[in-house]
Amino acid sequence: MDFLIQLFTDPLAFWNSHTLLIAQVGINSILASSMFVVLYSGQLSLAAPGFMAIGAYTSVLMELYWHTPLALNIAVGVLLAGGAGVLIGLPVLRLRGVFLAIATIGFIEALRLGVILNLPITGEGLGLKNPHADPLGGINLVLVSVVVTIFLVWRLTKGRLGSAWAAIRQDELAALSQGIHVARYKMIAFILSAVLAGFAGGLEAHLNFFVDPGDSEYGVTRAIQILTFAILGGSGYVLGPVVGALFLTSLPYIFQQAHDYIGVVSGAFLIAVIVFRPQGIVGRGGLALFRPRWWPRRQVRAPSPG
Amino acid sequence: MSWGDPPSPQLLPSTCLDRDRLGQQLLNAIFIGSIYALFAVGYTLVFGVLDILNLAHSAVFMFGAAITYSLVINHGQSFWVACAIGIAASALMGLVIEHVCLRPLRRRSAPPIAALISTIGLALIIVAAIEQGQPGAFLSWIWVDGANSVSFPPGTIPNPTWHVAGLTIEASKMAIIPISVALMLVLGYVIRYTQVGRALRAVAENPRAARLMGLDVDRMISLTLVISSALGGLAGILFGVALGDISPYIGRDNVEIRGLAVIVLGGMGSIPGAVVGGYLLGLIEVAALVVLGSNARAGVAFAALFLMLVLRPQGLFGAELREKI
């Protein structure tokens, strides 16, 4: 509770003492937006940590070996992540639902366990020291990036692209028969998501003195965490995944009293939210509470696929 | 190891032992493959019936092993009694999964992805709760070793060892193979030829039509989760006994994602596919270990998974996928 009390009574002190947490929330929000883009176009892709790893390692290695400026490092990382998005997307996007999810898991784990942990240049699993990191100074950059990302994604979902994605999400065959180039629009969503993830990876690497190739950074654990942000926050609206990232990242601070049992508390929180609000925190409709027998049944709408 | 120990046979130069080592590795492949298969059969059973990936399955795997260990070591039960209770507790955990994570969502016709998140939540709870089991803590009657990895001390379980033609054969590892094969045959028989199996297949095919035909769909789904979780718990016990590694993380680290790989290799929802996929993954991993060394082992398994999905998404035994664009 102290955490929330401080947030409302003394925002300045809160900012000073929790800068790192705020930066992490920002990074996770960008990742959640990246997940939102693929989910919005009806694809369940868990590839984000792989693209993050590409962005992060590219920018840190360029800094270490060529001493190029940060903007260029991140830009190259983003470009490579986008390129990888094209290469991975071409074979994988024929798959759907759980199959796509598992194929992307195959990609991220093959990249992490097969490549990153074995190459001498990436530290062979010992990780990479990044002496030029700037944990506190990077916060402004992160906040600006979050705002720009959310605006960009929101703008895209409101335009032609967004309508095409929504049509594909709701019924791929119908979209195809309306003349929407399904494969192309899915590819655009996948690449945009890869670019955002690569960007988040580069930023995160800039905030940490150490690039850790562990499972909770670039592995399946991270992928599932990002998916949880998006589903828990609500994947129907741009702000949903961001709210999910905000909630879940600050959960250990909000429930500080739970101490060691934080895992139990977050698990229970996850189940409670998803059971009472299957549509996510941000979304239409109220709480799905238990209905007494005499209460009129609500009209059932067709569930959205995916 | 004390300073004066003679070098153990494993540390000898490998050149003179190559053929034997190959045989031993092949044995290892079959044995680890059996565990993968047993674990994945439960995974694929739930997916086949519900179209939901039950990500709490790996937590049940760990739960079964932890309960059994704790009963033998801390409560002084005999190994066989502990096994039975461990499997029963895992099966009960299946009911918990159904009633806490799946049934409420099914009632609200939530999208399948929501059930994925709720089972992740339950897996988090189980692992975090076991992790906190320390002496004097609230959960110390289930588990007292916290986040440590433990193993059964030698002598607590009967484990005769034979040396045949240069191969070391341990009973605890060998027992896994007939147990897994027998269980999977029984399960295959039940599903294919009995009334219960017919009902399960009907629910898998079309829950609504099954309900209209007078089947109790909820009960069938509960049964599916009980069978699946009992198999998962048994796989955990066998893993813990044979590999001597029981910790709150064995499910997450060893079988969670590999189980996915197995059911994809064999074809999602197909039980014979899961069995073959389990042995195939065991072989692939051991081959990668022998050819490329231990670092590349896991990476190769996932590359195989990726390639399989790209080239033949229905897996070895799955039906042709209808959707193609």
Side-chain angles (χ1 to χ4, degrees):
Chain A
M1 274 302 118
D2 297 345
F3 177 80
L4 291 180
I5 291 171
Q6 193 189 23
L7 173 60
F8 287 110
T9 55
D10 195 354
L12 203 65
F14 177 84
W15 170 270
N16 287 331
S17 55
H18 290 103
T19 315
L20 291 179
L21 173 69
I22 296 169
Q24 195 56 49
V25 169
I27 302 277
N28 285 342
S29 303
I30 301 177
L31 288 169
S33 304
S34 136
M35 182 58 83
F36 169 82
V37 172
V38 269
L39 286 178
Y40 196 77
S41 62
Q43 309 171 75
L44 182 56
S45 155
L46 295 179
F51 299 127
M52 274 177 76
I54 294 175
Y57 277 97
T58 309
S59 79
V60 170
L61 287 174
M62 281 181 68
E63 172 71 55
L64 283 179
Y65 288 92
W66 296 335
H67 308 291
T68 40
L70 178 70
L72 182 67
N73 295 342
I74 291 185
V76 174
V78 165
L79 273 182
L80 282 184
V86 177
L87 287 182
I88 297 300
L90 280 177
V92 153
L93 288 190
R94 294 179 303 134
L95 301 170
R96 215 155 303 167
V98 185
F99 292 87
L100 177 61
I102 298 176
T104 48
I105 284 180
F107 157 64
I108 58 178
E109 287 295 344
L111 178 70
R112 186 174 75 89
L113 299 170
V115 179
I116 293 177
L117 292 190
N118 289 312
L119 284 185
I121 198 173
T122 50
E124 284 183 331
L126 296 175
L128 209 56
K129 284 205 180 66
N130 178 20
H132 306 283
D134 186 8
L136 293 177
I139 179 94
N140 295 326
L141 181 59
V142 171
L143 290 183
V144 171
S145 315
V146 171
V147 173
V148 171
T149 305
I150 294 173
F151 176 77
L152 179 80
V153 173
W154 174 76
R155 183 69 195 81
L156 286 179
T157 55
K158 292 298 166 199
R160 272 178 78 85
L161 204 53
S163 312
W165 286 340
I168 294 170
R169 183 185 70 230
Q170 272 152 19
D171 191 335
E172 215 164 279
L173 210 58
L176 195 67
S177 68
Q178 294 295 313
I180 295 174
H181 199 313
V182 172
R184 180 188 299 161
Y185 283 105
K186 277 175 139 182
M187 194 68 183
I188 294 175
F190 193 76
I191 295 172
L192 180 62
S193 143
V195 163
L196 286 177
F199 180 62
L203 268 186
E204 195 181 51
H206 179 62
L207 294 176
N208 290 312
F209 284 106
F210 182 66
V211 185
D212 173 19
D215 182 48
S216 55
E217 273 299 311
Y218 304 121
V220 177
T221 306
R222 190 69 186 266
I224 289 181
Q225 190 193 21
I226 300 170
L227 177 69
T228 311
F229 294 154
I231 302 295
L232 197 77
S235 56
Y237 296 89
V238 181
L239 277 183
V242 177
V243 170
L246 177 70
F247 255 103
L248 287 179
T249 314
S250 46
L251 203 64
Y253 295 83
I254 297 176
F255 292 114
Q256 242 160 3
Q257 269 79 6
H259 290 297
D260 296 338
Y261 287 93
I262 185 65
V264 178
V265 172
S266 10
F269 180 80
L270 221 58
I271 296 179
V273 172
I274 212 74
V275 163
F276 291 119
R277 272 190 78 84
Q279 73 273 42
I281 296 171
V282 180
R284 285 219 183 83
L287 286 179
L289 292 173
F290 294 101
R291 181 177 59 87
R293 231 165 245 290
W294 43 268
W295 195 261
R297 205 175 268 275
R298 266 186 59 220
Q299 286 291 308
V300 180
R301 284 182 299 150
S304 64
Chain B
M1 186 192 287
S2 70
W3 197 241
D5 275 347
S8 58
Q10 284 84 10
L11 298 178
L12 286 173
S14 60
T15 42
C16 56
L17 289 167
D18 249 350
R19 235 181 109 241
D20 297 345
R21 265 181 69 236
L22 202 63
Q24 192 77 51
Q25 296 289 16
L26 212 62
L27 264 184
N28 280 344
I30 297 174
F31 136 74
I32 196 80
S34 302
I35 289 181
Y36 290 160
L38 204 52
F39 177 80
V41 163
Y43 231 156
T44 210
L45 193 63
V46 172
F47 186 84
V49 173
L50 286 170
D51 279 342
I52 284 171
L53 279 181
N54 169 21
L55 289 184
H57 199 50
S58 62
V60 172
F61 175 91
M62 179 278 293
F63 187 69
I67 291 265
T68 308
Y69 176 81
S70 177
L71 279 173
V72 172
I73 302 300
N74 305 324
H75 298 270
Q77 298 295 325
S78 88
F79 177 66
W80 305 109
V81 174
C83 266
I85 298 180
I87 294 171
S90 309
L92 214 61
M93 198 49 95
L95 280 183
V96 172
I97 296 174
E98 155 70 358
H99 283 272
V100 174
C101 302
L102 304 182
R103 190 167 291 184
L105 289 172
R106 208 158 57 235
R107 290 278 148 78
R108 278 144 211 184
S109 58
I113 185 92
L116 192 84
I117 303 291
S118 65
T119 54
I120 292 174
L122 190 66
L124 255 178
I125 294 180
I126 297 173
V127 173
I130 296 287
E131 201 178 68
Q132 292 308 320
Q134 270 131 9
F138 171 56
L139 288 168
S140 58
W141 54 279
I142 294 186
W143 176 256
V144 292
D145 293 286
N148 300 326
S149 166
V150 293
S151 63
F152 286 102
T156 40
I157 26 176
N159 188 15
T161 306
W162 300 280
H163 296 276
V164 182
L167 303 178
T168 307
I169 300 178
E170 287 174 69
S172 68
K173 290 190 179 179
M174 279 308 108
I176 293 176
I177 299 169
I179 291 177
S180 313
V181 172
L183 273 177
M184 291 178 292
L185 284 179
V186 168
L187 187 64
Y189 174 81
V190 167
I191 294 222
R192 189 167 279 264
Y193 296 110
T194 64
Q195 199 61 38
V196 176
R198 206 164 289 135
L200 275 181
R201 280 184 287 142
V203 174
E205 192 67 36
N206 187 339
R208 173 170 287 193
R211 201 185 297 273
L212 292 177
M213 292 293 132
L215 284 174
D216 189 343
V217 173
D218 280 342
R219 175 180 286 181
M220 280 300 138
I221 291 176
S222 298
L223 181 68
T224 310
L225 276 145
V226 165
I227 297 175
S228 149
S229 300
L231 289 175
L234 176 64
I237 296 172
L238 292 174
F239 180 92
V241 169
L243 272 98
D245 172 19
I246 303 174
S247 81
Y249 314 113
I250 52 171
R252 195 188 66 192
D253 294 347
N254 293 295
V255 288
E256 183 173 24
I257 308 302
R258 291 206 181 97
L260 284 182
V262 167
I263 57 180
V264 165
L265 285 176
M268 302 284 277
S270 147
I271 289 178
V275 177
V276 175
Y279 287 109
L280 192 63
L281 187 71
L283 277 177
I284 293 177
E285 286 202 336
V286 168
L289 187 71
V290 171
V291 177
L292 298 169
S294 64
N295 281 340
R297 174 181 152 203
V300 168
F302 288 109
L305 168 67
F306 183 79
L307 281 183
M308 189 66 173
L309 270 170
V310 168
L311 299 177
R312 195 180 154 82
Q314 70 270 37
L316 292 174
F317 284 75
E320 185 76 18
L321 292 183
R322 279 169 296 127
E323 321 162 291
K324 263 196 188 124
I325 288 205

